[in-house]
Amino acid sequence: MADTDIRTIFVTGLKNAHAMENQALSIMKPQVSRIENYPQVADRLQQHIRETEGQMTRIETLLDELAESHSALKDMALSFTGAMAALGHTVAGDEILKNSFANFAFENFEIAAYKSLITVAELGGFPNAVPTLRSNLDEEIAMADWLDANLRSVTMTFASLKESGETAKI
């Protein structure tokens, strides 16, 4: 594979990762603004929003080092789809559960994307990008692990609130 081909794959991957993180923000921000009964979820989402903003900054730095910039069109498109996904769960009686499932799935999507991007960086001779991408990957793994570890307690809180007749959905 020519150096220009692998560079193109890498740059495209970085632009996609930036848009993916933008999408993540458009999913998490509406969720956290609606949470009433799950403070631990709200706190962890707030933390991950800050992490995600940092991830976007790190990706922008990598793109700058390659004399490239993120794709405003991809960012806008994925932000829109993220907002629609978040909106779609608001009508569900079990919104907190649906958000938890979707967030866990999305975190695992991000994990796969960063693992692939790290591989491209290694193959393409971009070793300076690997630690940055591993930092992003580590934050995504930590969030996925948190969601996994807390799904039972979120579900139990939801069931308890629902059983007592309180607002439980979010």
Side-chain angles (χ1 to χ4, degrees), residues 35-51:
I35 292 177
E36 298 171 3
N37 295 304
Y38 306 86
Q40 75 283 13
V41 175
D43 290 347
R44 188 60 179 98
L45 283 174
Q46 285 286 15
Q47 178 185 340
H48 198 54
I49 286 168
R50 289 187 301 274
E51 290 169 348

Side-chain angles (χ1 to χ4, degrees), residues 34-142:
R34 293 178 45 76
I35 292 177
E36 298 171 3
N37 295 304
Y38 306 86
Q40 75 283 13
V41 175
D43 290 347
R44 188 60 179 98
L45 283 174
Q46 285 286 15
Q47 178 185 340
H48 198 54
I49 286 168
R50 289 187 301 274
E51 290 169 348
T52 301
E53 289 166 344
Q55 292 168 9
M56 290 178 73
T57 299
R58 291 192 291 265
I59 292 167
E60 289 166 6
T61 300
L62 291 175
L63 286 166
D64 287 346
E65 290 170 359
L66 295 166
E68 299 282 349
S69 63
H70 61 90
S71 169
L73 182 60
K74 282 183 185 182
D75 283 358
M76 185 177 66
L78 288 182
S79 179
F80 176 76
T81 62
M84 292 301 97
L87 182 63
H89 293 167
T90 62
V91 296
D94 59 350
E95 179 180 358
I96 191 68
L97 297 180
K98 286 192 173 37
N99 286 346
S100 295
F101 307 156
N103 290 346
F104 184 70
F106 196 81
E107 291 304 320
N108 281 281
F109 175 83
E110 290 178 301
I111 289 166
Y114 280 116
K115 286 180 176 182
S116 177
L117 196 50
I118 288 167
T119 300
V120 173
E122 291 168 343
L123 290 172
F126 304 101
N128 294 341
V130 172
T132 298
L133 296 171
R134 283 198 197 280
S135 293
N136 288 11
L137 174 62
D138 290 346
E139 290 172 352
E140 301 304 351
I141 290 170

